[in-house]
Amino acid sequence: ARRRAGSTLPNHPLARHRFFCRWRWRGRCRAAGAMRRGYFSRDSSVRSGAWNASLVVLATSGCVALLGGSIVSEMFHKTRSIGWKTPPNSTSLAAEEEVQLYFPKRLQGSIVMAVEALPDTPSVISEAVAEFSRNVSQRVAEDWRVRSFKPIVLGYYLDSPGGQAMHKMIQEELVSHDQRMTLIFIQPTTLEGSISDANAFLQEFCDQPPSGFTLHITGMPSVMSGDGCFAGVHGKVNTRDMNFELIFRAELMTVPVALIIIGRMVKYVRLLLLPLFLVIISFIVCAAMLVPWMDVVPIAHDVPAAMGSVIMALCLDYSLFFLSRFGEQHSDGWQLQANVDTVLRETGHTIMISGSLIAIAFFGSMVLPEDNLKGSGLCMGIAVVACVATSLALIPALLLFGGRTLTGTVVRNPWHGDMEMDGSSKRQELELAADPSKEPHVERSHWLRMMRWIDKSPLLALGAVLLLLSPVLLCVPALNVTGDRFALIPMGMPALQALRRIEQVFPVGVLDPYAVVISAPPSASPTSFLSELQDGMAALQNYDSEALSAHMTLSPSELALVTSTLADARDSKGRLRPSVVARATRASHARCDELAAVGAGAASAAAEHATAAASLRAALQAAHATGCGESAVRRAVVASAVEARGRSDGEESKQMASAVQLEATELGWSEASAKRLGDEVANASRSGKSSDVSEESLVDVRAGADAVRARAKRAGGGRGAVEHPQHAAQSDGITAADVVEVMRAAAAHQEVEAVRQALVAHAGAADVSRRLAGGGSEVMADADAAPEGLNRDAAAAVTAALASVTQRRGAGVSGGSSQELEERWPLVLDLVDAAADLSEHGALLMPSGFAAMLDLCDRTLELGRVASMVGPTWAYHKRIDWITAVALHANATLRKAYQPLLDSHVEGTRALLEVHTTFPSIGAGGANWVLDMRRVLAEWEAAHPGFTARLSGGNCQAADTRSAVLNSMWRYLGIIVALIMVVVFFTFRSVLVPLRLALALFVTLGATYGAGVIIYQTPLLHGIFPWLAPFDGLTYEVVPMVTGICIALGLDYDIFLVSRVVEFRKQGFSDRASVFRGATKAGGVISGAGLIMSLAFSGLCFSDKLLMQQFGVLLVISVMFDTFVVRTVLVPALMLIAQDWNWWPRQMPPVLFDSLEGDVGPSDDDHGYRPMLNGG
């Protein structure tokens, strides 16, 4: 240019270089302007209507992209934490309700500190650990953050409730056999505090272990909240976070690789921008379609992560299907409009059918009985619809709008899986068809070589595939579907790591034990009760004398006296005489029945000027103050309700029942016992009778009431009670609160006669003994003042009432067989008294009940994986039969250890048996153990008619959910397979195609789950991935999701393959040539799509949660099997074997060509090879 202007070039080399740079840059700018003016103008082949439609689609996509942030944010905001809910009316829910009803104070939520010795420390039996244990116990008792839980701290160096025997038993459980680890249990008795505050307190110990030791802190509350300590390292993990960011980053890392694979299939590099834009718009469109449904169907927090993987996989696949064919036809010289129309008609139709079938597979999960699965299915189905709609609208619009720009740069000659196109046009193909000798011999495709081998021997190819898959297919019957709740928890969480470490040394099932609620017949007939008591007492003679002597702390002479007494009291058949047992039983029952009934009657009379409801509440308080059992208290209160019948109507009966039930709850009764008492009070107050109340109880209640009325009358009239008697003010008369105090003072005395004497002394009457002996109900008016804190009149009235009933009834045991029996009787009476106390629970704690419960314990141990049990018949590793229980109950010292066990594990006619497994109760083996245990319970119930047992806790609810989901899987598969086969039949009008499709899908599923068995149920990979060791199968949540997606992806590739085969068949190629050409053409695209799909799902494999990890691993395995084995080898082999039967009953066009694409054969002169027909 400067020469033309008459100028010269600069002489300096650097100046000359700058000149040429400026000249070239200006030229490039002018060229770029020309390119922009040409590329973004409408192509001459594009119709105006199509151009306008593409502009509308692109403008709409731009608006969607601008609103994408708010739409996606709204979607994430509406996700919920719904968990895996148990189906209603399941066995586990009914059992859990029963446990909560009868044993609401069952101890749960244990926190455990594990002190582990470092390699240089020989043992945890050291003063440092002892000091640390005492420090923990002291701080737990003093710190406000845990005080509200009212915790019990158990440790090897800490005192245990229940005495020395219980302490020794607990010590054995808290130190490992090698003495290198010891546990400190912090057991809350209430759950009224803040878990986060308690965790913050516990973590203060994390970095302060004893010198030479390390500390682990875990427990079910810690695991579920994500707060724990492992090896002195504290960590707080959000257990509800499904690692979306981690998965998203992993997905982003796979995008470049996926684009490289697409680039191998597509000629033009700028076309690679379309898949990225498609993924973004599809995700936003899916979120916009999903948001309205989220108010109706709950969507869990983890679903968007899986949804993103599905959207990325489908968008990249659909982009590959579109762009590979578009690039192929564009390189052949097709006009832009015709190219897009053909791609939309052929590939778009394939994508439409494929997407419909995939949507059916996902939406079919709405029939599954679980909210998580329903929400996941809805979300995935909407994602498929969004991907299909966006792909069919956006890709053609982008191609029509920017076709010149997008096809401006060539990556490489496109490889379509059959041969190198070398830029040949359609005209060149026609020339080669007319003269095949002009085609050069080029054979570079491995899919071409693969199809040659399959075509030569399809049966051999089919056998090779089955032989290759046989190792994994044979593993399918061993598939174990677990209910592992740890699958939803990050595996690297410190609390879970600490639990795994403790599991290697201790049976961690004690942290969350299973609960078996045993129900006995409600009551035993007098005949059966007497017979059982006779047999039980007679069995004492054959019992181990040393054990009995130890339990009752008897001297050898006392033991001999008991044995001889029992021998003298036998009848001719060797059993205790009924009269002896009956008198002893009456005597033992009378002790509490008299006190409770007299107290209830006295208190109700003292409060009779108030409402009937207040009167009965006072009666319950007085009867409860005696310290008698709930059975005696209940009989006394119901008898008082019978006496109050005249004061109540129907409405008043309801109020009485409600008031009594509320008062019983406040006194510490369980909800079930309080409700039972309220119901009995309501019935008794309405009908005036009760089957559970004897005439003697009614007489005792009347005696107590008469004594109070007489004393109040003598004192000049009693005062009325207030609504709540315990708050009544003191006065000269007798109040209900006075009676309660008298009964509380009497509670320390077990004998009625001792109670009478104590109350006589408190009453201070000079001649009270004479008057009581005469059966009078009054005391002297000039009695001395009662001791401070005890109303003299109330004590005198109760004393008079007791005197009256005991004189009438006759206390003690009389009429023995001899004077010697009377002298020896007290020792035997202690045993009979203990047996009678236990018999208050019906047949449950009778000899037959103990025998039944012990049989259940034995069966449970035989089941296996049981470390210990706690219940009326079992204390950790100690067996408790009926005689042992009676002896423990009769011994005042040992009773302090055994009675708390009965109080916490026996309620009425129901008993609680806690089972401590060797594995975590909510872990991998829990669901299978639950089913085995339920089978044991069913067999036990059949062996013991009248007894029932229900299992709850641990993985019971997960087992029911798993069963419901797996049982519904057949319905799910039946529905979606039937719908898919119908759609495929009407699409291809063939019977064999849907049948062959179903067979291929089942092969893919079998190979996928067989590989899952090898990975997660065998130790094959434990050396590489040691964290796989605690898991023993696939979680039940994964199975329906993986099944649906595997079916969906298999349909996608199968429809694409069959569509290409049908396309060639319609062109007149033979069945053999159509299968050959279709598989060769589609093989490369399918394999590339499979690699992309695998990369899209590989992000899930990086999740720290087993559920998402298994989900990703199985999907990657399924895609790889499907794309490289099933669709590209197995399906072509089956279609080559079937030949024209593939399309029956559809009539295909007549065969015009029978040549195989890319095939070669010997030339006419046998001096070389000539290519066969390459087109038609």
Side-chain angles (χ1 to χ4, degrees):
R2 299 190 67 173
R3 285 195 185 99
R4 288 195 297 268
S7 62
T8 59
L9 292 175
N11 293 325
H12 195 276
L14 182 59
R16 186 179 301 175
H17 172 73
R18 291 174 179 174
F19 169 77
F20 278 112
C21 289
R22 287 195 298 269
W23 178 74
R24 294 178 62 188
W25 174 252
R26 290 168 185 168
R28 287 184 179 182
C29 291
R30 287 193 295 270
M35 291 172 61
R36 285 195 296 270
R37 289 191 296 271
Y39 284 168
F40 289 102
S41 61
R42 194 179 79 185
D43 188 86
S44 59
S45 66
V46 177
R47 299 185 299 271
S48 60
W51 175 261
N52 294 333
S54 66
L55 292 179
V56 172
V57 170
L58 293 177
T60 304
S61 300
C63 295
V64 169
L66 292 176
L67 298 174
S70 59
I71 294 175
V72 173
S73 176
E74 179 66 15
M75 179 193 67
F76 280 107
H77 178 70
K78 284 194 171 185
T79 57
R80 310 180 192 177
S81 177
I82 57 178
W84 295 89
K85 296 182 180 179
T86 307
N89 302 322
S90 63
T91 304
S92 60
L93 288 181
E96 189 66 29
E97 290 176 0
E98 190 170 2
V99 170
Q100 295 299 328
L101 180 62
Y102 292 101
F103 302 97
K105 296 183 179 180
R106 176 192 172 211
L107 298 180
Q108 290 179 293
S110 299
I111 297 293
V112 60
M113 291 184 176
V115 182
E116 184 177 10
L118 294 176
D120 296 336
T121 305
S123 171
V124 294
I125 309 299
S126 67
E127 184 58 32
V129 176
E131 182 63 26
F132 177 79
S133 302
R134 288 189 286 267
N135 180 41
V136 170
S137 179
Q138 181 180 357
R139 291 183 59 182
V140 167
E142 296 174 353
D143 197 283
W144 63 271
R145 291 171 290 183
V146 292
R147 192 186 306 125
S148 57
F149 290 96
K150 300 179 181 178
I152 300 173
V153 184
L154 302 177
Y156 183 84
Y157 292 100
L158 303 176
D159 294 333
S160 304
Q164 187 64 29
M166 183 63 69
H167 176 67
K168 184 178 180 182
M169 189 182 305
I170 293 176
Q171 272 189 326
E172 297 175 356
E173 301 290 326
L174 298 181
V175 176
S176 61
H177 295 295
D178 59 0
Q179 296 186 348
R180 296 195 58 79
M181 182 182 290
T182 184
L183 302 182
I184 301 175
F185 273 95
I186 303 175
Q187 176 63 66
T189 57
T190 64
L191 298 177
E192 299 176 355
S194 170
I195 297 294
S196 59
D197 289 341
N199 283 331
F201 163 75
L202 293 172
Q203 301 315 318
E204 293 177 0
F205 295 95
C206 186
D207 56 353
Q208 301 175 7
S211 178
F213 301 87
T214 188
L215 188 65
H216 316 299
I217 302 177
T218 186
M220 292 309 159
S222 298
V223 171
M224 294 305 172
S225 64
D227 211 337
C229 174
F230 175 66
V233 178
H234 170 242
K236 174 67 175 177
V237 178
N238 182 9
T239 58
R240 302 186 185 279
D241 177 22
M242 296 308 294
N243 300 325
F244 184 80
E245 292 186 4
L246 176 63
I247 296 174
F248 180 71
R249 292 174 183 173
E251 297 284 6
L252 289 181
M253 293 174 60
T254 64
V255 170
V257 183
L259 293 179
I260 292 174
I261 296 174
I262 296 177
R264 291 279 299 173
M265 307 289 171
V266 180
K267 182 177 181 180
Y268 308 102
V269 66
R270 293 172 184 170
L271 289 178
L272 300 181
L273 298 175
L274 270 65
L276 299 178
F277 190 54
L278 182 64
V279 169
I280 297 173
I281 298 300
S282 297
F283 192 88
I284 298 173
V285 171
C286 177
M289 296 172 63
L290 183 62
V291 165
W293 288 96
M294 297 177 75
D295 296 328
V296 181
V297 180
I299 304 297
H301 292 310
D302 58 328
V303 172
M307 183 189 76
S309 296
V310 170
I311 289 176
M312 178 174 288
L314 290 179
C315 287
L316 294 177
D317 272 8
Y318 292 162
S319 299
L320 178 60
F321 295 163
F322 266 116
L323 300 181
S324 61
R325 184 153 188 163
F326 175 82
E328 175 186 348
Q329 294 177 164
H330 183 77
S331 64
D332 289 344
W334 287 48
Q335 291 185 344
L336 184 60
Q337 183 69 63
N339 192 358
V340 173
D341 289 343
T342 303
V343 171
L344 191 59
R345 182 178 61 254
E346 299 294 341
T347 306
H349 177 265
T350 301
I351 290 176
M352 177 70 74
I353 299 301
S354 172
S356 301
L357 298 179
I358 296 174
I360 289 174
F362 283 135
F363 285 130
S365 62
M366 296 295 289
V367 304
L368 296 174
E370 216 288 322
D371 289 343
N372 255 310
L373 298 176
K374 290 179 180 179
S376 299
L378 175 66
C379 188
M380 302 299 179
I382 292 177
V384 173
V385 174
C387 289
V388 172
T390 308
S391 299
L392 295 179
L394 188 58
I395 292 181
L398 288 170
L399 292 175
L400 290 175
F401 178 76
R404 292 183 180 181
T405 303
L406 296 174
T407 56
T409 305
V410 178
V411 179
R412 53 177 300 279
N413 288 331
W415 172 57
H416 298 287
D418 52 349
M419 64 180 184
E420 294 289 349
M421 300 298 294
D422 290 328
S424 59
S425 64
K426 191 69 177 179
R427 179 176 298 176
Q428 291 172 329
E429 291 187 9
L430 295 176
E431 292 176 354
L432 291 174
D435 187 5
S437 61
K438 295 181 179 180
E439 180 180 5
H441 174 59
V442 178
E443 182 181 348
R444 300 179 183 177
S445 171
H446 63 279
W447 289 113
L448 178 60
R449 294 191 292 270
M450 176 70 72
M451 282 308 303
R452 283 185 162 197
W453 174 72
I454 296 173
D455 178 68
K456 289 180 180 179
S457 180
L459 287 175
L460 180 62
L462 180 63
V465 170
L466 295 179
L467 182 64
L468 174 66
L469 296 180
S470 59
V472 291
L473 292 177
L474 292 176
C475 293
V476 175
L479 176 64
N480 179 34
V481 181
T482 71
D484 190 356
R485 289 170 61 186
F486 290 142
L488 302 174
I489 299 173
M491 291 180 289
M493 186 174 65
L496 186 57
Q497 289 181 303
L499 184 67
R500 296 300 188 194
R501 177 67 188 100
I502 297 174
E503 183 183 1
Q504 299 174 6
V505 183
F506 291 94
V508 293
V510 69
L511 297 178
D512 187 22
Y514 286 95
V516 181
V517 179
I518 305 168
S519 300
S523 59
S525 64
T527 303
S528 61
F529 169 78
L530 181 62
S531 176
E532 284 208 53
L533 196 54
Q534 284 181 289
D535 292 337
M537 296 302 294
L540 282 172
Q541 302 174 75
N542 302 322
Y543 197 70
D544 184 2
S545 59
E546 294 184 1
L548 182 62
S549 176
H551 289 321
M552 295 191 66
T553 61
L554 298 176
S555 64
S557 59
E558 291 175 326
L559 179 63
L561 185 61
V562 171
T563 306
S564 62
T565 302
L566 292 174
D568 293 341
R570 288 184 298 174
D571 58 15
S572 58
K573 296 182 179 180
R575 307 173 70 190
L576 289 180
R577 289 193 298 276
S579 59
V580 174
V581 177
R583 286 197 302 273
T585 304
R586 283 200 304 270
S588 61
H589 275 303
R591 294 176 178 178
C592 260
D593 282 350
E594 288 181 11
L595 286 175
V598 167
S604 61
E608 63 184 352
H609 294 289
T611 62
S615 176
L616 278 186
R617 291 186 72 169
L620 174 57
Q621 292 173 8
H624 180 77
T626 62
C628 295
E630 288 186 3
S631 299
V633 174
R634 185 177 63 253
R635 287 191 290 268
V637 175
V638 174
S640 300
V642 172
E643 289 297 303
R645 177 174 59 93
R647 302 174 53 195
S648 62
D649 52 16
E651 189 64 28
E652 184 73 13
S653 296
K654 295 181 180 179
Q655 296 178 3
M656 294 164 61
S658 178
V660 168
Q661 183 174 347
L662 177 61
E663 185 65 31
T665 304
E666 293 178 356
L667 292 174
W669 289 33
S670 67
E671 184 179 347
S673 298
K675 186 177 183 302
R676 177 185 176 188
L677 177 60
D679 294 341
E680 292 187 8
V681 165
N683 295 332
S685 61
R686 284 195 299 264
S687 62
K689 60 182 179 180
S690 175
S691 59
D692 197 34
V693 176
S694 64
E695 184 63 29
E696 292 178 342
S697 295
L698 292 174
V699 171
D700 295 344
V701 169
R702 291 167 191 157
D706 291 343
V708 168
R709 293 189 187 105
R711 182 58 188 163
K713 181 178 180 181
R714 188 176 183 86
R719 61 178 294 276
V722 294
E723 180 65 21
H724 215 292
Q726 66 264 34
H727 297 152
Q730 293 294 326
S731 69
D732 294 335
I734 301 176
T735 67
D738 295 333
V739 178
V740 171
E741 291 300 324
V742 170
M743 304 317 296
R744 187 171 290 116
H749 303 277
Q750 297 297 322
E751 300 287 346
V752 173
E753 186 62 30
V755 173
R756 289 175 53 212
Q757 294 175 1
L759 293 181
V760 166
H762 284 307
D767 59 343
V768 71
S769 299
R770 176 179 57 81
R771 290 181 176 273
L772 292 179
S777 61
E778 300 178 2
V779 294
M780 292 178 56
D782 56 348
D784 297 333
E788 183 179 358
L790 192 62
N791 186 284
R792 178 190 60 180
D793 294 332
V798 172
T799 302
L802 288 173
S804 174
V805 299
T806 52
Q807 182 182 14
R808 171 185 52 77
R809 183 177 297 178
V813 178
S814 59
S817 59
S818 64
Q819 182 65 26
E820 182 184 2
L821 177 61
E822 295 293 336
E823 295 176 354
R824 293 181 295 175
W825 181 254
L827 291 174
V828 179
L829 182 59
D830 288 340
L831 294 174
V832 177
D833 185 21
D837 286 345
L838 295 176
S839 68
E840 289 187 358
H841 301 278
L844 181 67
L845 299 185
M846 291 298 291
S848 60
F850 267 82
M853 288 190 287
L854 284 172
D855 181 39
L856 176 58
C857 293
D858 293 336
R859 292 172 184 258
T860 303
L861 288 176
E862 292 176 0
L863 177 63
R865 307 188 72 181
V866 176
S868 59
M869 293 176 288
V870 176
T873 58
W874 212 276
Y876 292 101
H877 305 286
K878 306 296 183 181
R879 181 186 182 93
I880 304 175
D881 55 20
W882 182 77
I883 295 177
T884 303
V886 169
L888 292 173
H889 206 67
N891 187 304
T893 302
L894 295 179
R895 183 173 183 173
K896 294 179 181 179
Y898 186 57
Q899 187 61 41
L901 182 62
L902 294 181
D903 293 341
S904 59
H905 288 74
V906 176
E907 178 61 37
T909 59
R910 288 172 173 80
L912 176 66
L913 177 65
E914 293 183 300
V915 182
H916 305 149
T917 54
T918 57
F919 56 90
S921 59
I922 64 173
N928 291 340
W929 188 89
V930 167
L931 297 183
D932 293 338
M933 185 63 185
R934 286 176 177 170
R935 175 181 51 80
V936 169
L937 295 180
E939 296 174 354
W940 176 80
E941 289 178 351
H944 301 275
F947 288 85
T948 61
R950 288 187 176 183
L951 180 67
S952 70
N955 253 6
C956 287
Q957 295 188 25
D960 286 343
T961 306
R962 181 189 67 170
S963 298
V965 169
L966 295 183
N967 292 337
S968 64
M969 280 293 296
W970 296 109
R971 179 179 58 178
Y972 165 67
L973 290 175
I975 291 175
I976 65 172
V977 169
L979 292 175
I980 288 171
M981 294 181 71
V982 169
V983 173
V984 172
F985 173 77
F986 283 105
T987 300
F988 297 103
R989 288 173 289 168
S990 168
V991 173
L992 194 62
V993 168
L995 293 177
R996 195 265 316 140
L997 174 61
L999 175 62
L1001 289 177
F1002 282 116
V1003 171
T1004 300
L1005 288 175
T1008 301
Y1009 288 123
V1013 171
I1014 295 174
I1015 294 173
Y1016 292 101
Q1017 292 182 223
T1018 65
L1020 185 64
L1021 299 179
H1022 289 181
I1024 304 175
F1025 306 106
W1027 50 266
L1028 288 173
F1031 305 107
D1032 187 30
L1034 304 179
T1035 61
Y1036 72 89
E1037 301 96 331
V1038 167
V1039 173
M1041 295 191 296
V1042 168
T1043 300
I1045 296 182
C1046 287
I1047 291 175
L1049 300 183
L1051 292 170
D1052 187 21
Y1053 301 140
D1054 201 290
I1055 295 300
F1056 181 74
L1057 173 61
V1058 176
S1059 296
R1060 295 304 297 264
V1061 174
V1062 171
E1063 185 178 344
F1064 281 110
R1065 186 65 186 86
K1066 287 181 178 180
Q1067 293 175 5
F1069 286 91
S1070 66
D1071 294 298
R1072 173 171 172 262
S1074 298
V1075 173
F1076 191 99
R1077 288 171 174 262
T1080 305
K1081 282 280 188 182
V1085 178
I1086 290 177
S1087 60
L1091 288 175
I1092 294 172
M1093 191 77 71
S1094 300
L1095 291 171
F1097 288 122
S1098 63
L1100 297 173
C1101 301
F1102 294 94
S1103 174
D1104 198 24
K1105 297 189 177 183
L1106 181 69
L1107 173 66
M1108 302 302 289
Q1109 186 188 100
Q1110 287 187 345
F1111 184 54
V1113 169
L1114 292 179
L1115 288 181
V1116 170
I1117 292 174
S1118 172
V1119 169
M1120 299 302 286
F1121 270 124
D1122 198 79
T1123 54
F1124 288 97
V1125 179
V1126 177
R1127 306 298 158 192
T1128 51
V1129 180
L1130 180 64
V1131 172
L1134 289 173
M1135 296 187 73
L1136 286 173
I1137 293 172
Q1139 295 287 334
D1140 57 340
W1141 283 98
N1142 285 311
W1143 323 115
W1144 184 86
R1146 180 181 181 179
Q1147 295 296 324
M1148 285 294 190
V1151 175
L1152 301 178
F1153 311 103
D1154 192 26
S1155 58
L1156 305 182
E1157 184 173 357
D1159 198 2
V1160 294
S1163 59
D1164 294 336
D1165 56 2
D1166 290 337
H1167 291 296
Y1169 289 91
R1170 62 173 180 82
M1172 297 180 66
L1173 185 65
N1174 192 40

